[in-house]
Amino acid sequence: MTTFGIIWALVRRDYALQYAGSFLGISWMLLQNLLLISIYATVFLVLGIRHPNQTWDQSSYLLTGLVFWIPLQELLVRGTSILTDNRSLLKRSTLGLDLFLSIPLFQYLIHATITLVPVYALLYVSGQLNPFGAFLGYLCILLTGFYLHLLLHYLSRLNILLKDISPLVRLISQIMFWGLPILYFPQGFLKEVNQMNPLNVPLDMFRACVIPNYVSQFHWISFLPFLLTFILIYLLSKRKFQAVVLDHL
């Protein structure tokens, strides 16, 4: 069996375990994401939060922020616990840690694609989608998943050493959510806070690709320190943590 075939079999197995006994099965994932996007968008649109100088539609701003974040949050939480959840299988097999770490990444690609299609369709019908930038926006989302995956190599190994850091990661994900300009516009002190979020520039680039007349709020140069840090963390986890983690499985 090819490497892709093995990963796909592991992904299907993980889905079966996650949604075992669920009435809707994996369809619940899509429904849950769309409901969450709808609730957030409805509440904040009703509140009428609007930047006085904006030239783009407010609903497109909210929808693009939510469709960008939700699959990434799933990747962060699932990727942290993937090794501990498959501890017994890791002990019995010779597949290696990296192959199992590919499971949440593949699931992210699936979730992001499935969630993005109806949002793109809604934006297109309402005239709020840049057709030429839609593919670039999709590519930006995929690359952001690979970028976050660098950090997961460290968090998943740390989760084994410290038994379970999933509650802490969920808390951090909520802090990251409110630290991103998803439901509000970056102004004043909030804009300074946004610049400390490693996902801030990718979100801004995604919106610049997708939303017509959107003006980027941040410079891409500010993203480089985060990228270099994530790469160093990835190398550290591969070289320093590998043997220690295998002993703790």
Side-chain angles (χ1 to χ4, degrees):
M1 184 180 290
T2 63
T3 301
F4 177 81
I6 295 173
I7 294 175
W8 180 240
L10 291 173
V11 169
R12 293 177 59 186
R13 173 183 176 274
D14 194 65
Y15 275 137
L17 293 175
Q18 284 187 66
Y19 297 101
S22 174
F23 175 71
L24 295 175
I26 195 175
S27 301
W28 173 245
M29 177 270 299
L30 173 61
L31 182 61
Q32 181 182 14
N33 287 354
L34 293 179
L35 283 174
L36 190 58
I37 291 173
S38 301
I39 291 171
Y40 270 117
T42 301
V43 169
F44 278 80
L45 285 173
V46 168
L47 290 177
I49 299 175
R50 179 180 294 274
H51 191 282
N53 298 321
Q54 73 184 70
T55 57
W56 57 87
D57 188 272
Q58 180 188 4
S59 59
S60 63
Y61 186 89
L62 292 176
L63 289 174
T64 50
L66 291 168
V67 78
F68 175 88
W69 168 252
I70 289 175
L72 281 175
Q73 184 182 36
E74 293 173 347
L75 172 62
L76 181 62
V77 174
R78 184 62 189 139
T80 299
S81 61
I82 191 66
L83 296 183
T84 51
D85 290 349
N86 290 275
R87 188 190 302 265
S88 59
L89 187 57
L90 275 166
K91 290 179 179 179
R92 299 196 309 266
S93 69
T94 58
L95 296 177
L97 302 182
D98 288 349
L99 205 63
F100 282 86
L101 282 168
S102 300
I103 296 174
L105 180 60
F106 267 70
Q107 291 176 337
Y108 166 78
L109 299 179
I110 295 171
H111 296 182
T113 303
I114 293 176
T115 308
L116 197 60
V117 168
V119 173
Y120 266 8
L122 179 61
L123 292 176
Y124 179 78
V125 170
S126 58
Q128 302 169 30
L129 177 69
N130 178 7
F132 299 104
F135 175 76
L136 292 178
Y138 178 66
L139 185 62
C140 181
I141 281 187
L142 298 189
L143 291 177
T144 304
F146 283 98
Y147 160 65
L148 186 60
H149 193 247
L150 295 173
L151 180 62
L152 292 179
H153 279 267
Y154 177 81
L155 292 179
S156 59
R157 289 168 168 84
L158 189 64
N159 194 52
I160 293 177
L161 297 179
L162 300 182
K163 305 305 180 183
D164 186 15
I165 62 170
S166 296
L168 177 61
V169 170
R170 289 190 179 90
L171 175 61
I172 292 174
S173 72
Q174 290 301 312
I175 296 174
M176 291 180 68
F177 171 75
W178 291 108
L180 281 172
I182 295 176
L183 303 174
Y184 59 85
F185 297 97
Q187 306 175 69
F189 174 72
L190 281 178
K191 190 169 185 177
E192 297 180 7
V193 173
N194 297 151
Q195 291 176 336
M196 295 185 289
N197 195 310
L199 296 175
N200 181 57
V201 172
L203 171 59
D204 196 52
M205 294 175 64
F206 171 65
R207 280 180 169 142
C209 293
V210 174
I211 302 177
N213 303 319
Y214 179 83
V215 179
S216 294
Q217 305 296 302
F218 305 93
H219 199 284
W220 65 270
I221 290 294
S222 62
F223 173 67
L224 293 182
F226 293 112
L227 178 60
L228 292 175
T229 301
F230 277 32
I231 293 174
L232 290 176
I233 290 175
Y234 166 75
L235 295 175
L236 173 67
S237 64
K238 293 279 288 184
R239 295 184 179 183
K240 301 297 183 180
F241 273 17
Q242 191 76 3
V244 178
V245 167
L246 291 175
D247 291 338
H248 281 75
L249 280 174

Short mmCIF file of all heavy atoms in Angstrom, two decimals, residues 53-56 61 186 191 204-205 207-209 211-218:
data_model
loop_
_atom_site.label_atom_id
_atom_site.label_comp_id
_atom_site.label_asym_id
_atom_site.label_seq_id
_atom_site.Cartn_x
_atom_site.Cartn_y
_atom_site.Cartn_z
N ASN A 53 -15.03 53.57 7.72
CA ASN A 53 -14.32 53.82 6.47
C ASN A 53 -14.23 52.60 5.57
O ASN A 53 -13.47 52.60 4.61
CB ASN A 53 -12.91 54.34 6.78
CG ASN A 53 -12.94 55.65 7.53
OD1 ASN A 53 -13.76 56.51 7.26
ND2 ASN A 53 -12.05 55.79 8.51
N GLN A 54 -14.94 51.54 5.88
CA GLN A 54 -14.81 50.33 5.10
C GLN A 54 -15.43 50.50 3.70
O GLN A 54 -16.42 51.21 3.53
CB GLN A 54 -15.47 49.15 5.80
CG GLN A 54 -17.00 49.17 5.78
CD GLN A 54 -17.59 48.03 6.57
OE1 GLN A 54 -17.51 48.00 7.77
NE2 GLN A 54 -18.18 47.08 5.88
N THR A 55 -14.79 49.85 2.72
CA THR A 55 -15.31 49.88 1.35
C THR A 55 -15.81 48.51 0.92
O THR A 55 -16.26 48.35 -0.20
CB THR A 55 -14.22 50.34 0.38
OG1 THR A 55 -13.08 49.46 0.50
CG2 THR A 55 -13.78 51.77 0.69
N TRP A 56 -15.71 47.53 1.78
CA TRP A 56 -16.20 46.20 1.47
C TRP A 56 -17.42 45.89 2.35
O TRP A 56 -17.66 46.53 3.35
CB TRP A 56 -15.10 45.16 1.69
CG TRP A 56 -14.55 45.16 3.07
CD1 TRP A 56 -15.01 44.47 4.15
CD2 TRP A 56 -13.43 45.92 3.55
NE1 TRP A 56 -14.26 44.74 5.27
CE2 TRP A 56 -13.28 45.62 4.94
CE3 TRP A 56 -12.55 46.82 2.96
CZ2 TRP A 56 -12.28 46.18 5.71
CZ3 TRP A 56 -11.56 47.38 3.73
CH2 TRP A 56 -11.43 47.07 5.08
N TYR A 61 -16.74 40.21 5.33
CA TYR A 61 -15.65 40.30 6.30
C TYR A 61 -15.83 39.24 7.40
O TYR A 61 -14.88 38.54 7.77
CB TYR A 61 -15.62 41.70 6.90
CG TYR A 61 -14.46 41.96 7.82
CD1 TYR A 61 -13.26 42.45 7.32
CD2 TYR A 61 -14.57 41.76 9.20
CE1 TYR A 61 -12.19 42.71 8.17
CE2 TYR A 61 -13.51 42.01 10.05
CZ TYR A 61 -12.32 42.49 9.52
OH TYR A 61 -11.27 42.73 10.37
N PRO A 186 -9.62 45.74 13.03
CA PRO A 186 -8.40 46.08 13.78
C PRO A 186 -8.20 47.59 13.86
O PRO A 186 -7.94 48.25 12.86
CB PRO A 186 -7.29 45.42 12.96
CG PRO A 186 -7.83 45.33 11.57
CD PRO A 186 -9.32 45.14 11.72
N LYS A 191 -5.46 46.48 17.22
CA LYS A 191 -4.59 46.22 16.08
C LYS A 191 -3.20 45.80 16.54
O LYS A 191 -2.56 44.92 15.93
CB LYS A 191 -4.50 47.46 15.19
CG LYS A 191 -3.81 47.21 13.86
CD LYS A 191 -3.98 48.37 12.90
CE LYS A 191 -3.38 48.03 11.54
NZ LYS A 191 -3.60 49.13 10.56
N ASP A 204 -5.34 38.04 6.98
CA ASP A 204 -5.39 39.28 6.21
C ASP A 204 -5.13 39.02 4.72
O ASP A 204 -5.78 39.60 3.85
CB ASP A 204 -4.36 40.26 6.76
CG ASP A 204 -4.60 41.69 6.29
OD1 ASP A 204 -5.72 42.18 6.44
OD2 ASP A 204 -3.65 42.30 5.76
N MET A 205 -4.18 38.12 4.43
CA MET A 205 -3.88 37.77 3.04
C MET A 205 -5.04 37.04 2.39
O MET A 205 -5.36 37.25 1.22
CB MET A 205 -2.61 36.93 2.99
CG MET A 205 -1.34 37.66 3.42
SD MET A 205 0.12 36.59 3.49
CE MET A 205 0.27 36.14 1.77
N ARG A 207 -8.25 37.38 3.14
CA ARG A 207 -9.29 38.37 2.84
C ARG A 207 -8.90 39.23 1.64
O ARG A 207 -9.75 39.58 0.82
CB ARG A 207 -9.52 39.26 4.06
CG ARG A 207 -10.39 38.61 5.13
CD ARG A 207 -10.58 39.54 6.29
NE ARG A 207 -11.63 39.04 7.20
CZ ARG A 207 -11.56 39.14 8.52
NH1 ARG A 207 -10.51 39.71 9.08
NH2 ARG A 207 -12.54 38.67 9.27
N ALA A 208 -7.63 39.57 1.52
CA ALA A 208 -7.19 40.40 0.40
C ALA A 208 -7.40 39.67 -0.92
O ALA A 208 -7.65 40.31 -1.96
CB ALA A 208 -5.71 40.76 0.58
N CYS A 209 -7.30 38.34 -0.90
CA CYS A 209 -7.52 37.55 -2.12
C CYS A 209 -9.00 37.43 -2.46
O CYS A 209 -9.39 37.49 -3.64
CB CYS A 209 -6.92 36.15 -1.96
SG CYS A 209 -5.13 36.09 -1.85
N ILE A 211 -12.01 39.09 -0.93
CA ILE A 211 -12.97 40.19 -0.86
C ILE A 211 -12.60 41.28 -1.87
O ILE A 211 -11.48 41.80 -1.83
CB ILE A 211 -13.02 40.78 0.55
CG1 ILE A 211 -13.38 39.71 1.59
CG2 ILE A 211 -14.03 41.92 0.62
CD1 ILE A 211 -13.38 40.20 3.02
N PRO A 212 -13.51 41.66 -2.74
CA PRO A 212 -13.23 42.77 -3.67
C PRO A 212 -12.99 44.08 -2.92
O PRO A 212 -13.67 44.38 -1.94
CB PRO A 212 -14.52 42.85 -4.51
CG PRO A 212 -15.19 41.53 -4.34
CD PRO A 212 -14.84 41.07 -2.95
N ASN A 213 -12.00 44.82 -3.36
CA ASN A 213 -11.68 46.15 -2.81
C ASN A 213 -11.17 46.12 -1.37
O ASN A 213 -11.12 47.16 -0.71
CB ASN A 213 -12.89 47.09 -2.88
CG ASN A 213 -13.42 47.25 -4.29
OD1 ASN A 213 -12.65 47.36 -5.24
ND2 ASN A 213 -14.75 47.23 -4.44
N TYR A 214 -10.82 44.93 -0.89
CA TYR A 214 -10.30 44.84 0.47
C TYR A 214 -8.88 45.40 0.51
O TYR A 214 -8.04 45.07 -0.33
CB TYR A 214 -10.31 43.41 0.97
CG TYR A 214 -9.76 43.23 2.37
CD1 TYR A 214 -10.56 43.47 3.48
CD2 TYR A 214 -8.43 42.85 2.57
CE1 TYR A 214 -10.06 43.31 4.76
CE2 TYR A 214 -7.93 42.70 3.85
CZ TYR A 214 -8.74 42.93 4.94
OH TYR A 214 -8.24 42.79 6.22
N VAL A 215 -8.61 46.23 1.50
CA VAL A 215 -7.28 46.82 1.68
C VAL A 215 -6.61 46.12 2.86
O VAL A 215 -7.15 46.12 3.97
CB VAL A 215 -7.37 48.34 1.95
CG1 VAL A 215 -5.98 48.92 2.17
CG2 VAL A 215 -8.08 49.03 0.80
N SER A 216 -5.44 45.52 2.63
CA SER A 216 -4.73 44.81 3.68
C SER A 216 -4.44 45.72 4.85
O SER A 216 -4.03 46.88 4.67
CB SER A 216 -3.42 44.22 3.14
OG SER A 216 -3.67 43.23 2.17
N GLN A 217 -4.65 45.20 6.05
CA GLN A 217 -4.46 45.97 7.27
C GLN A 217 -3.09 45.77 7.90
O GLN A 217 -2.70 46.51 8.80
CB GLN A 217 -5.54 45.59 8.29
CG GLN A 217 -6.96 45.72 7.78
CD GLN A 217 -7.33 47.14 7.45
OE1 GLN A 217 -7.25 48.02 8.30
NE2 GLN A 217 -7.70 47.40 6.20
N PHE A 218 -2.35 44.76 7.41
CA PHE A 218 -1.06 44.42 8.00
C PHE A 218 -0.04 44.12 6.90
O PHE A 218 -0.42 43.69 5.81
CB PHE A 218 -1.20 43.20 8.93
CG PHE A 218 -2.23 43.37 10.01
CD1 PHE A 218 -3.54 42.94 9.81
CD2 PHE A 218 -1.91 43.98 11.21
CE1 PHE A 218 -4.49 43.10 10.78
CE2 PHE A 218 -2.87 44.14 12.20
CZ PHE A 218 -4.17 43.70 11.99
#
